[in-house]
């Protein structure tokens, strides 16, 4: 066993006495040591119940003949961090989570890991750690939040982000907003729509690193979630015995499966950051071109919030991710021979079926015969940009407008709330990329206020968007402004074309004029000059490569 290095032999007597100090018996030390990475905290709704999940995992490990050893991981709530300087940290925390798990797992020579995340950057951070360490590992999340109910309709946190714009435009009274605020998030779990956390938890199943139901069984279904967690604890012991490791599971075929499902369900654009970063840690390359290639062959068959009205509990009732995989497998899009923590993907989905056809469509009845995410390139995004096509109004899929430029999210919010933005404008928010932000903040506040106010405009940024964003929102524009990318050269009044059908993002300015502007451009001073974010800004790579650290 890998852990023998800290348990066995005369030179390890000091090590064993330290284990005994914590209550580990001689019998415990004869068994594999399984790290249980618990991201519990009291600041993320999706994590506040993870102690119960960890306890069930540990029971499963013990029952299957292992010794569970719990240790923590940090986490940040993207929703609470949204719209202020706190949003500089969530993406950057992904690397801290990965690094810290590496440090603890290698420092104590664990034989295997059960990883317990639930929300936005914690899921990919843990998957990155699994790929990097390459010791037997399994992921089990805390599950999605149930949608709230307000006056007979489903609501969620995205409803509340958009409520600010509705109050501003007179569509909602402050009293109505307050009443809705107390209904939108009814309990624990990752926010109810197909936002980043739930997308990543679903794709964990597809990658083969989680059990069926990992992404869709609601957190409130405590019995089902505990059973899933116990099974995860038991399964890690099988993986340790057979020495099945993350890089055996997270192959290129697995990532292609994940992209296909991402496209089919209209997942968060943040997956275009996270999947390449996870692949990088697993020793693979996953370029933007791969997303576009699969998107053109995919089918959009599941329309969940924010692109539609259904939520995660509806997807679970409809047959979950297995049903989506089974439907896509009929088209040849899915590598059914890919390995999972419980055998082949084909075996896993053999008996899956669509139970609510209004939630999961057949490929023949797809909303679009292409993926929900599109990759745009052009003279404004030479290295690519990302848009969630499935959440764009049809009339905005091809849009030409006049640029209104802002060098931070705060400037843009003030302009939107101050009435500066009108139909026909393209809102450009720059110097918010991985280096420029730093930390590539999510722009949910601007997009939600624009949506809430009913404005038909496009928004472009070298930052990123929440999975809850909807509308003509183009993010991840690369190269970013801080690196002198073309987005830094846009001036108020320039014409910009967003052409999603033809995958184009164009600044209607001559090459000669762009060259003149580039020669006059000077890199601004960093927004943050001390601490972790300063180091992060110096080491982080572009969004089109997953914003991994050099």
């Amino acid at each position: 066993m890998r852990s023998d290095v800290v348990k066995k032999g005369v030179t390890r007597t000091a090590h064993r006495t330290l284990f005994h100090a914590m209550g580990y018996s001689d019998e415990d030390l004869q068994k594999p040591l399984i790290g249980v990475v618990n991201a519990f905290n009291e600041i993320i709704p999706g994590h506040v119940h993870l102690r119960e999940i960890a306890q069930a995992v540990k029971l499963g490990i013990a029952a299957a003949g292992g010794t569970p050893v719990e240790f923590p991981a940090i986490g940040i709530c993207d929703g609470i961090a949204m719209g202020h300087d706190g949003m500089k940290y969530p993406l950057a925390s992904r690397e801290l989570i990965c690094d810290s798990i590496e440090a603890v797992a290698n420092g104590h020579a664990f034989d295997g890991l059960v990883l317990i995340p639930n929300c936005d950057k914690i899921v990919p951070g843990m998957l990155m750690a699994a790929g990097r360490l390459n010791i037997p590992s399994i992921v089990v999340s805390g599950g999605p939040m149930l949608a709230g109910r307000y006056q007979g309709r489903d609501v969620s946190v995205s409803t509340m982000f958009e409520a600010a714009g509705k109050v501003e435009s007179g569509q909602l009274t402050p009293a109505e907003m307050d009443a809705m605020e107390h209904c939108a998030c009814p309990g624990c779990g990752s926010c109810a729509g197909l936002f980043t956390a739930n997308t990543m938890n679903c794709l964990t199943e597809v990658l083969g690193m989680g059990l069926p139901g990992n992404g869709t069984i609601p957190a409130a279904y405590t019995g089902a979630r505990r059973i899933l967690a116990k099974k995860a604890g038991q399964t890690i012991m099988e993986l340790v015995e057979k020495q099945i490791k993350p890089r055996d599971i997270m192959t290129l075929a697995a990532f292609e499966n994940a992209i296909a499902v991402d496209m089919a369900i209209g997942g968060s654009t943040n997956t275009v950051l996270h999947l390449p970063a996870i692949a990088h840690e697993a020793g693979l390359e996953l370029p933007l071109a791969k997303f576009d290639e699969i998107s053109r062959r995919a089918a959009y068959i599941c329309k969940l919030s924010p692109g539609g009205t259904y939520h995660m509990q509806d997807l679970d009732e409809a047959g979950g991710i297995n049903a989506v995989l089974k439907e896509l497998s009929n088209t040849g899009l899915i590598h059914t021979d890919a390995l999972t923590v419980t055998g082949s993907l084909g075996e896993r989905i053999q008996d899956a079926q669509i139970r609510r056809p209004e939630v999961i469509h057949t490929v023949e009845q797809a909303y679009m015969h292409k993926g929900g995410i599109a990759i745009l390139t052009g003279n404004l995004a030479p290295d690519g940009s990302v848009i969630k096509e499935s959440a764009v109004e049809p009339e905005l899929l091809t849009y030409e407008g006049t640029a209104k430029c802002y060098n931070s999210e705060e400037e843009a919010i003030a302009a939107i709330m101050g009435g500066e933005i009108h139909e026909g404008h393209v809102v450009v928010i720059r110097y918010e990329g991985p280096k420029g932000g730093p930390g590539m903040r999510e722009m949910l506040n601007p997009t939600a206020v624009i949506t809430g106010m009913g404005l038909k405009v496009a928004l472009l940024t070298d930052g990123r968007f929440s999975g809850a964003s909807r509308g003509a929102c183009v993010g991840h524009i690369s190269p970013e402004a801080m690196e002198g990318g073309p987005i830094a050269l846009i001036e108020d009044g320039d014409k910009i074309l967003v052409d999603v059908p033809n995958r184009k993002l164009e600044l209607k300015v001559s090459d000669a004029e762009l060259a003149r502007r580039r020669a006059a451009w000077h890199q601004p001073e960093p927004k943050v000059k001390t601490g972790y974010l300063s180091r992060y800004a110096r080491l982080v790579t572009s969004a089109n490569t997953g914003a991994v650290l050099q």
Side-chain angles (χ1 to χ4, degrees), residues 1 3 7 28 30-34 61 65-68 111 237 240:
M1 286 186 289
S3 62
K7 298 186 307 186
D28 292 332
Q30 296 300 314
K31 302 172 185 177
L33 296 183
I34 307 299
I61 292 169
T67 297
D111 297 299
M237 298 309 299
V240 169

Side-chain angles (χ1 to χ4, degrees), residues 251-265:
T251 61
L252 183 58
F255 282 101
E256 289 179 346
N257 287 345
I259 295 171
V261 170
D262 192 18
M263 298 299 171
I265 62 179

Side-chain angles (χ1 to χ4, degrees), residues 15 44 63 66-67 107 125 139 184 245 251 257 278 323 347 371 382 391 407 413-414 442 465 529-530:
H15 302 62
I44 307 178
T67 297
V139 177
K245 300 175 182 179
T251 61
N257 287 345
I278 298 163
E347 293 167 340
N407 291 339
I413 282 283
E442 288 184 345
F465 296 112
K529 298 180 181 179
T530 60

Side-chain angles (χ1 to χ4, degrees), residues 464-498:
R464 60 195 175 90
F465 296 112
S466 164
S469 291
R470 58 188 174 117
C473 308
V474 184
H476 305 204
I477 292 176
S478 302
E480 64 174 289
M482 197 65 175
E483 293 187 320
I487 190 173
L489 309 179
I490 304 171
E491 295 180 357
D492 285 349
D494 286 347
K495 291 291 184 180
I496 295 174
L497 172 66
V498 180

Side-chain angles (χ1 to χ4, degrees), residues 15-263:
H15 302 62
R16 289 191 294 273
T17 196
L18 291 170
F19 277 104
H20 298 329
M22 295 180 282
Y24 294 98
S25 67
D26 290 335
E27 291 75 20
D28 292 332
L29 298 184
Q30 296 300 314
K31 302 172 185 177
L33 296 183
I34 307 299
V36 178
V37 190
N38 185 3
F40 163 82
N41 62 41
E42 295 180 341
I43 193 60
I44 307 178
H47 289 220
V48 74
H49 63 304
L50 292 187
R51 280 176 173 161
E52 298 174 9
I53 301 298
Q55 185 62 26
V57 164
K58 290 189 285 185
L59 288 172
I61 292 169
T67 297
V69 183
E70 185 178 343
F71 66 94
I74 66 164
I76 297 173
C77 178
D78 281 45
I80 295 173
M82 195 74 66
H84 57 93
D85 274 354
M87 184 41 74
K88 297 179 187 293
Y89 284 93
L91 182 60
S93 76
R94 184 187 72 179
E95 320 306 313
L96 287 175
I97 292 162
C98 177
D99 290 350
S100 63
I101 293 171
E102 175 197 353
V104 177
N106 279 342
H108 302 96
F110 290 126
D111 297 299
L113 292 175
V114 180
L115 303 155
I116 309 175
N118 210 28
C119 289
D120 293 40
K121 309 308 170 297
I122 301 91
V123 181
M126 289 193 177
L127 284 167
M128 288 166 66
R132 182 187 296 178
L133 288 162
N134 202 34
I135 61 174
S137 302
I138 188 172
V139 177
V140 59
S141 77
M145 187 184 294
L146 292 172
R149 296 285 291 174
Y150 178 73
Q151 295 185 347
R153 65 186 179 94
D154 286 347
V155 292
S156 70
V157 69
S158 64
T159 314
M160 300 317 303
F161 275 106
E162 293 176 7
K166 290 186 176 181
V167 169
E168 186 69 20
S169 62
Q171 301 173 60
L172 199 68
T173 69
E176 289 171 327
M177 181 181 72
D178 182 67
M180 196 185 303
E181 178 183 313
H182 288 85
C183 303
C185 294
C188 65
S190 45
C191 298
L194 191 65
F195 314 139
T196 303
N198 289 327
T199 303
M200 287 307 304
N201 280 322
C202 288
L203 297 189
T204 297
E205 290 186 42
V206 185
L207 283 172
M209 291 297 293
L211 297 172
N214 179 74
T216 60
I217 298 171
Y221 297 179
T222 55
R225 290 298 326 179
R226 287 174 180 170
I227 290 169
L228 191 76
K230 285 181 189 176
K231 286 182 179 176
Q234 293 164 347
T235 302
I236 190 59
M237 298 309 299
E238 296 172 13
L239 296 172
V240 169
E241 181 182 355
K242 296 174 183 176
Q243 280 300 290
I244 296 173
K245 300 175 182 179
R247 292 191 185 189
D248 300 323
I249 296 170
M250 292 195 290
T251 61
L252 183 58
F255 282 101
E256 289 179 346
N257 287 345
I259 295 171
V261 170
D262 192 18
M263 298 299 171

